[in-house]
PDB file of all heavy atoms in Angstrom:
ATOM      1  N   ASP A 224    -110.771 177.244  -4.758  1.00  0.00           N
ATOM      2  CA  ASP A 224    -110.012 175.845  -5.012  1.00  0.00           C
ATOM      3  C   ASP A 224    -110.693 175.419  -6.332  1.00  0.00           C
ATOM      4  O   ASP A 224    -111.821 174.767  -6.379  1.00  0.00           O
ATOM      5  CB  ASP A 224    -110.218 174.994  -3.814  1.00  0.00           C
ATOM      6  CG  ASP A 224    -109.525 173.592  -4.022  1.00  0.00           C
ATOM      7  OD1 ASP A 224    -109.127 173.362  -5.262  1.00  0.00           O
ATOM      8  OD2 ASP A 224    -109.215 172.972  -3.104  1.00  0.00           O
ATOM      9  N   THR A 225    -109.977 175.700  -7.413  1.00  0.00           N
ATOM     10  CA  THR A 225    -110.540 175.348  -8.743  1.00  0.00           C
ATOM     11  C   THR A 225    -110.593 173.811  -8.824  1.00  0.00           C
ATOM     12  O   THR A 225    -111.537 173.283  -9.614  1.00  0.00           O
ATOM     13  CB  THR A 225    -109.801 175.958  -9.850  1.00  0.00           C
ATOM     14  OG1 THR A 225    -108.459 175.609  -9.789  1.00  0.00           O
ATOM     15  CG2 THR A 225    -109.897 177.505  -9.865  1.00  0.00           C
ATOM     16  N   SER A 226    -109.682 173.040  -8.252  1.00  0.00           N
ATOM     17  CA  SER A 226    -109.689 171.575  -8.323  1.00  0.00           C
ATOM     18  C   SER A 226    -110.972 170.990  -7.824  1.00  0.00           C
ATOM     19  O   SER A 226    -111.428 169.894  -8.241  1.00  0.00           O
ATOM     20  CB  SER A 226    -108.449 171.042  -7.676  1.00  0.00           C
ATOM     21  OG  SER A 226    -108.573 171.264  -6.349  1.00  0.00           O
ATOM     22  N   LYS A 227    -111.557 171.663  -6.905  1.00  0.00           N
ATOM     23  CA  LYS A 227    -112.802 171.193  -6.132  1.00  0.00           C
ATOM     24  C   LYS A 227    -114.074 171.992  -6.671  1.00  0.00           C
ATOM     25  O   LYS A 227    -115.179 171.698  -6.110  1.00  0.00           O
ATOM     26  CB  LYS A 227    -112.678 171.253  -4.646  1.00  0.00           C
ATOM     27  CG  LYS A 227    -111.592 170.308  -3.955  1.00  0.00           C
ATOM     28  CD  LYS A 227    -111.601 170.555  -2.504  1.00  0.00           C
ATOM     29  CE  LYS A 227    -110.692 169.643  -1.896  1.00  0.00           C
ATOM     30  NZ  LYS A 227    -110.652 169.835  -0.352  1.00  0.00           N
ATOM     31  N   SER A 228    -113.830 172.946  -7.552  1.00  0.00           N
ATOM     32  CA  SER A 228    -114.867 173.806  -7.940  1.00  0.00           C
ATOM     33  C   SER A 228    -115.628 174.473  -6.811  1.00  0.00           C
ATOM     34  O   SER A 228    -116.892 174.485  -6.685  1.00  0.00           O
ATOM     35  CB  SER A 228    -116.036 173.081  -8.870  1.00  0.00           C
ATOM     36  OG  SER A 228    -115.433 172.837 -10.201  1.00  0.00           O
ATOM     37  N   GLN A 229    -114.740 174.931  -5.906  1.00  0.00           N
ATOM     38  CA  GLN A 229    -115.368 175.627  -4.615  1.00  0.00           C
ATOM     39  C   GLN A 229    -114.582 176.762  -4.371  1.00  0.00           C
ATOM     40  O   GLN A 229    -113.525 177.013  -4.712  1.00  0.00           O
ATOM     41  CB  GLN A 229    -115.075 174.672  -3.472  1.00  0.00           C
ATOM     42  CG  GLN A 229    -115.945 173.415  -3.374  1.00  0.00           C
ATOM     43  CD  GLN A 229    -115.531 172.680  -2.025  1.00  0.00           C
ATOM     44  OE1 GLN A 229    -114.538 172.787  -1.327  1.00  0.00           O
ATOM     45  NE2 GLN A 229    -116.534 171.771  -1.626  1.00  0.00           N
ATOM     46  N   PHE A 230    -115.358 177.677  -3.717  1.00  0.00           N
ATOM     47  CA  PHE A 230    -114.753 178.861  -3.060  1.00  0.00           C
ATOM     48  C   PHE A 230    -115.242 178.977  -1.664  1.00  0.00           C
ATOM     49  O   PHE A 230    -116.416 178.489  -1.341  1.00  0.00           O
ATOM     50  CB  PHE A 230    -114.870 180.205  -3.892  1.00  0.00           C
ATOM     51  CG  PHE A 230    -116.393 180.603  -4.183  1.00  0.00           C
ATOM     52  CD1 PHE A 230    -116.963 181.754  -3.503  1.00  0.00           C
ATOM     53  CD2 PHE A 230    -117.180 180.025  -5.027  1.00  0.00           C
ATOM     54  CE1 PHE A 230    -118.245 182.086  -3.758  1.00  0.00           C
ATOM     55  CE2 PHE A 230    -118.473 180.380  -5.386  1.00  0.00           C
ATOM     56  CZ  PHE A 230    -118.992 181.495  -4.658  1.00  0.00           C
ATOM     57  N   SER A 231    -114.528 179.769  -0.785  1.00  0.00           N
ATOM     58  CA  SER A 231    -114.915 179.748   0.583  1.00  0.00           C
ATOM     59  C   SER A 231    -114.844 181.174   1.185  1.00  0.00           C
ATOM     60  O   SER A 231    -114.293 182.046   0.557  1.00  0.00           O
ATOM     61  CB  SER A 231    -113.926 178.777   1.318  1.00  0.00           C
ATOM     62  OG  SER A 231    -112.570 179.394   1.202  1.00  0.00           O
ATOM     63  N   LEU A 232    -115.504 181.258   2.394  1.00  0.00           N
ATOM     64  CA  LEU A 232    -115.595 182.447   3.081  1.00  0.00           C
ATOM     65  C   LEU A 232    -115.200 182.227   4.471  1.00  0.00           C
ATOM     66  O   LEU A 232    -115.582 181.268   5.136  1.00  0.00           O
ATOM     67  CB  LEU A 232    -117.060 183.026   3.080  1.00  0.00           C
ATOM     68  CG  LEU A 232    -117.317 184.161   3.963  1.00  0.00           C
ATOM     69  CD1 LEU A 232    -116.609 185.525   3.471  1.00  0.00           C
ATOM     70  CD2 LEU A 232    -118.768 184.387   4.180  1.00  0.00           C
ATOM     71  N   LYS A 233    -114.396 182.976   5.030  1.00  0.00           N
ATOM     72  CA  LYS A 233    -113.892 182.943   6.386  1.00  0.00           C
ATOM     73  C   LYS A 233    -114.229 184.454   6.984  1.00  0.00           C
ATOM     74  O   LYS A 233    -113.680 185.406   6.484  1.00  0.00           O
ATOM     75  CB  LYS A 233    -112.541 182.485   6.613  1.00  0.00           C
ATOM     76  CG  LYS A 233    -112.340 181.050   6.362  1.00  0.00           C
ATOM     77  CD  LYS A 233    -110.849 180.636   6.680  1.00  0.00           C
ATOM     78  CE  LYS A 233    -110.523 179.171   6.318  1.00  0.00           C
ATOM     79  NZ  LYS A 233    -111.613 178.171   6.708  1.00  0.00           N
ATOM     80  N   LEU A 234    -114.911 184.542   8.068  1.00  0.00           N
ATOM     81  CA  LEU A 234    -115.112 185.764   8.768  1.00  0.00           C
ATOM     82  C   LEU A 234    -114.776 185.644  10.224  1.00  0.00           C
ATOM     83  O   LEU A 234    -115.335 184.718  10.978  1.00  0.00           O
ATOM     84  CB  LEU A 234    -116.575 186.142   8.608  1.00  0.00           C
ATOM     85  CG  LEU A 234    -117.100 187.397   9.228  1.00  0.00           C
ATOM     86  CD1 LEU A 234    -116.426 188.641   8.520  1.00  0.00           C
ATOM     87  CD2 LEU A 234    -118.574 187.662   9.203  1.00  0.00           C
ATOM     88  N   SER A 235    -113.637 186.401  10.551  1.00  0.00           N
ATOM     89  CA  SER A 235    -113.206 186.167  12.037  1.00  0.00           C
ATOM     90  C   SER A 235    -113.808 187.030  13.088  1.00  0.00           C
ATOM     91  O   SER A 235    -114.645 187.951  12.658  1.00  0.00           O
ATOM     92  CB  SER A 235    -111.700 186.371  12.006  1.00  0.00           C
ATOM     93  OG  SER A 235    -111.457 187.779  11.627  1.00  0.00           O
ATOM     94  N   SER A 236    -113.665 186.623  14.253  1.00  0.00           N
ATOM     95  CA  SER A 236    -114.077 187.474  15.377  1.00  0.00           C
ATOM     96  C   SER A 236    -115.614 187.824  15.280  1.00  0.00           C
ATOM     97  O   SER A 236    -115.934 189.032  15.364  1.00  0.00           O
ATOM     98  CB  SER A 236    -113.200 188.840  15.452  1.00  0.00           C
ATOM     99  OG  SER A 236    -111.870 188.476  15.558  1.00  0.00           O
ATOM    100  N   VAL A 237    -116.401 186.877  15.107  1.00  0.00           N
ATOM    101  CA  VAL A 237    -117.714 187.139  14.919  1.00  0.00           C
ATOM    102  C   VAL A 237    -118.489 187.576  16.117  1.00  0.00           C
ATOM    103  O   VAL A 237    -118.202 187.194  17.222  1.00  0.00           O
ATOM    104  CB  VAL A 237    -118.487 185.887  14.177  1.00  0.00           C
ATOM    105  CG1 VAL A 237    -117.957 185.550  12.827  1.00  0.00           C
ATOM    106  CG2 VAL A 237    -118.541 184.721  15.123  1.00  0.00           C
ATOM    107  N   THR A 238    -119.584 188.328  15.914  1.00  0.00           N
ATOM    108  CA  THR A 238    -120.440 188.725  16.939  1.00  0.00           C
ATOM    109  C   THR A 238    -121.969 188.478  16.443  1.00  0.00           C
ATOM    110  O   THR A 238    -122.102 188.038  15.427  1.00  0.00           O
ATOM    111  CB  THR A 238    -120.306 190.281  17.280  1.00  0.00           C
ATOM    112  OG1 THR A 238    -120.903 191.093  16.195  1.00  0.00           O
ATOM    113  CG2 THR A 238    -118.871 190.711  17.528  1.00  0.00           C
ATOM    114  N   ALA A 239    -122.912 188.790  17.455  1.00  0.00           N
ATOM    115  CA  ALA A 239    -124.267 188.518  17.062  1.00  0.00           C
ATOM    116  C   ALA A 239    -124.628 189.371  15.754  1.00  0.00           C
ATOM    117  O   ALA A 239    -125.632 188.888  14.998  1.00  0.00           O
ATOM    118  CB  ALA A 239    -125.119 188.981  18.230  1.00  0.00           C
ATOM    119  N   ALA A 240    -123.997 190.436  15.538  1.00  0.00           N
ATOM    120  CA  ALA A 240    -124.297 191.190  14.359  1.00  0.00           C
ATOM    121  C   ALA A 240    -124.033 190.557  13.150  1.00  0.00           C
ATOM    122  O   ALA A 240    -124.421 190.939  12.063  1.00  0.00           O
ATOM    123  CB  ALA A 240    -123.575 192.563  14.348  1.00  0.00           C
ATOM    124  N   ASP A 241    -123.210 189.463  13.121  1.00  0.00           N
ATOM    125  CA  ASP A 241    -122.896 188.685  11.986  1.00  0.00           C
ATOM    126  C   ASP A 241    -123.980 187.631  11.756  1.00  0.00           C
ATOM    127  O   ASP A 241    -123.737 186.746  10.695  1.00  0.00           O
ATOM    128  CB  ASP A 241    -121.566 188.023  12.162  1.00  0.00           C
ATOM    129  CG  ASP A 241    -120.425 189.180  12.091  1.00  0.00           C
ATOM    130  OD1 ASP A 241    -120.384 190.029  11.304  1.00  0.00           O
ATOM    131  OD2 ASP A 241    -119.614 189.121  13.044  1.00  0.00           O
ATOM    132  N   THR A 242    -124.944 187.426  12.508  1.00  0.00           N
ATOM    133  CA  THR A 242    -125.939 186.461  12.280  1.00  0.00           C
ATOM    134  C   THR A 242    -126.686 186.861  11.051  1.00  0.00           C
ATOM    135  O   THR A 242    -127.238 188.013  10.926  1.00  0.00           O
ATOM    136  CB  THR A 242    -126.948 186.422  13.504  1.00  0.00           C
ATOM    137  OG1 THR A 242    -126.295 185.933  14.554  1.00  0.00           O
ATOM    138  CG2 THR A 242    -128.104 185.520  13.165  1.00  0.00           C
ATOM    139  N   ALA A 243    -126.821 185.943  10.116  1.00  0.00           N
ATOM    140  CA  ALA A 243    -127.361 186.202   8.837  1.00  0.00           C
ATOM    141  C   ALA A 243    -127.417 184.995   7.929  1.00  0.00           C
ATOM    142  O   ALA A 243    -126.898 183.938   8.170  1.00  0.00           O
ATOM    143  CB  ALA A 243    -126.597 187.249   7.983  1.00  0.00           C
ATOM    144  N   VAL A 244    -128.211 185.058   6.929  1.00  0.00           N
ATOM    145  CA  VAL A 244    -128.197 184.043   5.758  1.00  0.00           C
ATOM    146  C   VAL A 244    -126.980 184.492   4.875  1.00  0.00           C
ATOM    147  O   VAL A 244    -127.020 185.668   4.411  1.00  0.00           O
ATOM    148  CB  VAL A 244    -129.519 184.047   5.006  1.00  0.00           C
ATOM    149  CG1 VAL A 244    -129.357 182.984   3.875  1.00  0.00           C
ATOM    150  CG2 VAL A 244    -130.680 183.574   5.914  1.00  0.00           C
ATOM    151  N   TYR A 245    -126.159 183.595   4.537  1.00  0.00           N
ATOM    152  CA  TYR A 245    -125.022 183.873   3.737  1.00  0.00           C
ATOM    153  C   TYR A 245    -125.279 183.161   2.398  1.00  0.00           C
ATOM    154  O   TYR A 245    -125.486 181.899   2.262  1.00  0.00           O
ATOM    155  CB  TYR A 245    -123.731 183.367   4.306  1.00  0.00           C
ATOM    156  CG  TYR A 245    -123.358 184.251   5.549  1.00  0.00           C
ATOM    157  CD1 TYR A 245    -123.884 184.102   6.764  1.00  0.00           C
ATOM    158  CD2 TYR A 245    -122.220 185.252   5.307  1.00  0.00           C
ATOM    159  CE1 TYR A 245    -123.536 184.994   7.856  1.00  0.00           C
ATOM    160  CE2 TYR A 245    -121.837 185.940   6.344  1.00  0.00           C
ATOM    161  CZ  TYR A 245    -122.540 185.926   7.593  1.00  0.00           C
ATOM    162  OH  TYR A 245    -122.154 186.787   8.697  1.00  0.00           O
ATOM    163  N   PHE A 246    -125.296 184.000   1.291  1.00  0.00           N
ATOM    164  CA  PHE A 246    -125.451 183.450  -0.020  1.00  0.00           C
ATOM    165  C   PHE A 246    -124.118 183.549  -0.881  1.00  0.00           C
ATOM    166  O   PHE A 246    -123.350 184.494  -0.647  1.00  0.00           O
ATOM    167  CB  PHE A 246    -126.409 184.294  -0.740  1.00  0.00           C
ATOM    168  CG  PHE A 246    -127.784 184.381  -0.298  1.00  0.00           C
ATOM    169  CD1 PHE A 246    -128.210 185.483   0.519  1.00  0.00           C
ATOM    170  CD2 PHE A 246    -128.660 183.399  -0.584  1.00  0.00           C
ATOM    171  CE1 PHE A 246    -129.516 185.482   0.996  1.00  0.00           C
ATOM    172  CE2 PHE A 246    -129.996 183.502  -0.146  1.00  0.00           C
ATOM    173  CZ  PHE A 246    -130.360 184.470   0.698  1.00  0.00           C
ATOM    174  N   CYS A 247    -123.843 182.563  -1.747  1.00  0.00           N
ATOM    175  CA  CYS A 247    -122.779 182.717  -2.704  1.00  0.00           C
ATOM    176  C   CYS A 247    -123.493 182.940  -4.019  1.00  0.00           C
ATOM    177  O   CYS A 247    -124.639 182.493  -4.228  1.00  0.00           O
ATOM    178  CB  CYS A 247    -121.847 181.537  -2.699  1.00  0.00           C
ATOM    179  SG  CYS A 247    -122.659 179.888  -2.964  1.00  0.00           S
ATOM    180  N   ALA A 248    -122.760 183.572  -4.940  1.00  0.00           N
ATOM    181  CA  ALA A 248    -123.431 183.921  -6.320  1.00  0.00           C
ATOM    182  C   ALA A 248    -122.315 184.095  -7.315  1.00  0.00           C
ATOM    183  O   ALA A 248    -121.097 184.386  -7.022  1.00  0.00           O
ATOM    184  CB  ALA A 248    -124.184 185.161  -6.068  1.00  0.00           C
ATOM    185  N   ARG A 249    -122.701 183.951  -8.475  1.00  0.00           N
ATOM    186  CA  ARG A 249    -121.812 184.109  -9.757  1.00  0.00           C
ATOM    187  C   ARG A 249    -122.046 185.451 -10.398  1.00  0.00           C
ATOM    188  O   ARG A 249    -123.221 185.860 -10.632  1.00  0.00           O
ATOM    189  CB  ARG A 249    -122.008 183.043 -10.726  1.00  0.00           C
ATOM    190  CG  ARG A 249    -121.027 183.042 -11.877  1.00  0.00           C
ATOM    191  CD  ARG A 249    -121.297 181.990 -12.899  1.00  0.00           C
ATOM    192  NE  ARG A 249    -122.405 182.418 -13.797  1.00  0.00           N
ATOM    193  CZ  ARG A 249    -122.706 181.820 -14.871  1.00  0.00           C
ATOM    194  NH1 ARG A 249    -122.038 180.703 -15.363  1.00  0.00           N
ATOM    195  NH2 ARG A 249    -123.761 182.189 -15.634  1.00  0.00           N
ATOM    196  N   HIS A 250    -121.018 186.190 -10.801  1.00  0.00           N
ATOM    197  CA  HIS A 250    -121.154 187.302 -11.699  1.00  0.00           C
ATOM    198  C   HIS A 250    -121.435 186.810 -13.091  1.00  0.00           C
ATOM    199  O   HIS A 250    -120.730 185.981 -13.540  1.00  0.00           O
ATOM    200  CB  HIS A 250    -119.838 188.135 -11.579  1.00  0.00           C
ATOM    201  CG  HIS A 250    -119.675 188.878 -10.282  1.00  0.00           C
ATOM    202  ND1 HIS A 250    -119.916 190.217 -10.106  1.00  0.00           N
ATOM    203  CD2 HIS A 250    -119.319 188.339  -9.065  1.00  0.00           C
ATOM    204  CE1 HIS A 250    -119.725 190.578  -8.922  1.00  0.00           C
ATOM    205  NE2 HIS A 250    -119.288 189.522  -8.184  1.00  0.00           N
ATOM    206  N   GLU A 251    -122.401 187.452 -13.682  1.00  0.00           N
ATOM    207  CA  GLU A 251    -122.879 186.972 -14.956  1.00  0.00           C
ATOM    208  C   GLU A 251    -121.927 187.150 -16.129  1.00  0.00           C
ATOM    209  O   GLU A 251    -122.064 186.363 -17.124  1.00  0.00           O
ATOM    210  CB  GLU A 251    -124.273 187.592 -15.424  1.00  0.00           C
ATOM    211  CG  GLU A 251    -124.296 189.068 -15.267  1.00  0.00           C
ATOM    212  CD  GLU A 251    -124.144 189.767 -16.605  1.00  0.00           C
ATOM    213  OE1 GLU A 251    -123.925 189.105 -17.749  1.00  0.00           O
ATOM    214  OE2 GLU A 251    -123.928 190.996 -16.590  1.00  0.00           O
ATOM    215  N   ARG A 252    -120.991 188.011 -16.141  1.00  0.00           N
ATOM    216  CA  ARG A 252    -120.078 188.286 -17.255  1.00  0.00           C
ATOM    217  C   ARG A 252    -118.803 187.681 -17.123  1.00  0.00           C
ATOM    218  O   ARG A 252    -118.146 187.852 -16.140  1.00  0.00           O
ATOM    219  CB  ARG A 252    -120.048 189.841 -17.454  1.00  0.00           C
ATOM    220  CG  ARG A 252    -119.363 190.063 -18.865  1.00  0.00           C
ATOM    221  CD  ARG A 252    -119.616 191.577 -19.167  1.00  0.00           C
ATOM    222  NE  ARG A 252    -119.175 192.465 -18.094  1.00  0.00           N
ATOM    223  CZ  ARG A 252    -118.108 192.986 -17.978  1.00  0.00           C
ATOM    224  NH1 ARG A 252    -117.056 192.556 -18.685  1.00  0.00           N
ATOM    225  NH2 ARG A 252    -117.822 193.819 -16.977  1.00  0.00           N
ATOM    226  N   ARG A 253    -118.393 186.743 -17.981  1.00  0.00           N
ATOM    227  CA  ARG A 253    -117.045 186.217 -17.996  1.00  0.00           C
ATOM    228  C   ARG A 253    -116.015 187.205 -17.805  1.00  0.00           C
ATOM    229  O   ARG A 253    -116.080 188.204 -18.441  1.00  0.00           O
ATOM    230  CB  ARG A 253    -116.830 185.345 -19.225  1.00  0.00           C
ATOM    231  CG  ARG A 253    -117.705 184.163 -19.392  1.00  0.00           C
ATOM    232  CD  ARG A 253    -117.488 183.537 -20.728  1.00  0.00           C
ATOM    233  NE  ARG A 253    -116.275 182.663 -20.673  1.00  0.00           N
ATOM    234  CZ  ARG A 253    -116.264 181.312 -20.383  1.00  0.00           C
ATOM    235  NH1 ARG A 253    -117.422 180.725 -20.117  1.00  0.00           N
ATOM    236  NH2 ARG A 253    -115.200 180.600 -20.372  1.00  0.00           N
ATOM    237  N   HIS A 254    -115.106 187.004 -16.896  1.00  0.00           N
ATOM    238  CA  HIS A 254    -114.011 187.837 -16.486  1.00  0.00           C
ATOM    239  C   HIS A 254    -114.403 189.252 -16.055  1.00  0.00           C
ATOM    240  O   HIS A 254    -113.532 190.178 -15.950  1.00  0.00           O
ATOM    241  CB  HIS A 254    -113.125 188.089 -17.904  1.00  0.00           C
ATOM    242  CG  HIS A 254    -112.799 186.898 -18.628  1.00  0.00           C
ATOM    243  ND1 HIS A 254    -111.955 185.812 -17.999  1.00  0.00           N
ATOM    244  CD2 HIS A 254    -113.095 186.480 -19.815  1.00  0.00           C
ATOM    245  CE1 HIS A 254    -111.811 184.945 -18.884  1.00  0.00           C
ATOM    246  NE2 HIS A 254    -112.509 185.180 -19.942  1.00  0.00           N
ATOM    247  N   GLY A 255    -115.721 189.396 -15.740  1.00  0.00           N
ATOM    248  CA  GLY A 255    -116.167 190.731 -15.258  1.00  0.00           C
ATOM    249  C   GLY A 255    -116.668 190.797 -13.833  1.00  0.00           C
ATOM    250  O   GLY A 255    -117.713 190.338 -13.540  1.00  0.00           O
ATOM    251  N   SER A 256    -115.868 191.450 -13.014  1.00  0.00           N
ATOM    252  CA  SER A 256    -116.257 191.663 -11.684  1.00  0.00           C
ATOM    253  C   SER A 256    -117.440 192.688 -11.655  1.00  0.00           C
ATOM    254  O   SER A 256    -118.370 192.602 -10.790  1.00  0.00           O
ATOM    255  CB  SER A 256    -115.183 192.189 -10.688  1.00  0.00           C
ATOM    256  OG  SER A 256    -115.545 192.427  -9.434  1.00  0.00           O
ATOM    257  N   THR A 257    -117.387 193.622 -12.562  1.00  0.00           N
ATOM    258  CA  THR A 257    -118.446 194.684 -12.586  1.00  0.00           C
ATOM    259  C   THR A 257    -119.615 194.126 -13.461  1.00  0.00           C
ATOM    260  O   THR A 257    -119.887 194.548 -14.596  1.00  0.00           O
ATOM    261  CB  THR A 257    -117.941 196.097 -13.127  1.00  0.00           C
ATOM    262  OG1 THR A 257    -117.254 195.795 -14.376  1.00  0.00           O
ATOM    263  CG2 THR A 257    -116.996 196.639 -12.006  1.00  0.00           C
ATOM    264  N   SER A 258    -120.271 193.097 -12.851  1.00  0.00           N
ATOM    265  CA  SER A 258    -121.446 192.572 -13.519  1.00  0.00           C
ATOM    266  C   SER A 258    -122.437 191.976 -12.475  1.00  0.00           C
ATOM    267  O   SER A 258    -122.159 191.878 -11.329  1.00  0.00           O
ATOM    268  CB  SER A 258    -121.038 191.447 -14.535  1.00  0.00           C
ATOM    269  OG  SER A 258    -120.408 190.404 -13.863  1.00  0.00           O
ATOM    270  N   SER A 259    -123.698 191.954 -12.910  1.00  0.00           N
ATOM    271  CA  SER A 259    -124.739 191.453 -11.925  1.00  0.00           C
ATOM    272  C   SER A 259    -124.531 190.003 -11.634  1.00  0.00           C
ATOM    273  O   SER A 259    -123.669 189.425 -12.035  1.00  0.00           O
ATOM    274  CB  SER A 259    -126.128 191.620 -12.692  1.00  0.00           C
ATOM    275  OG  SER A 259    -126.189 190.834 -13.788  1.00  0.00           O
TER     276      SER A 259
END
Side-chain angles (χ1 to χ4, degrees):
Chain A
D224 185 339
T225 55
S226 67
K227 295 182 179 179
S228 287
Q229 285 184 343
F230 61 106
S231 63
L232 169 69
K233 292 188 186 301
L234 182 65
S235 64
S236 305
V237 297
T238 69
D241 295 310
T242 293
V244 176
Y245 286 77
F246 296 100
C247 57
R249 185 186 78 169
H250 289 256
E251 51 91 9
R252 188 163 55 87
R253 294 174 79 93
H254 312 297
S256 178
T257 53
S258 60
S259 60

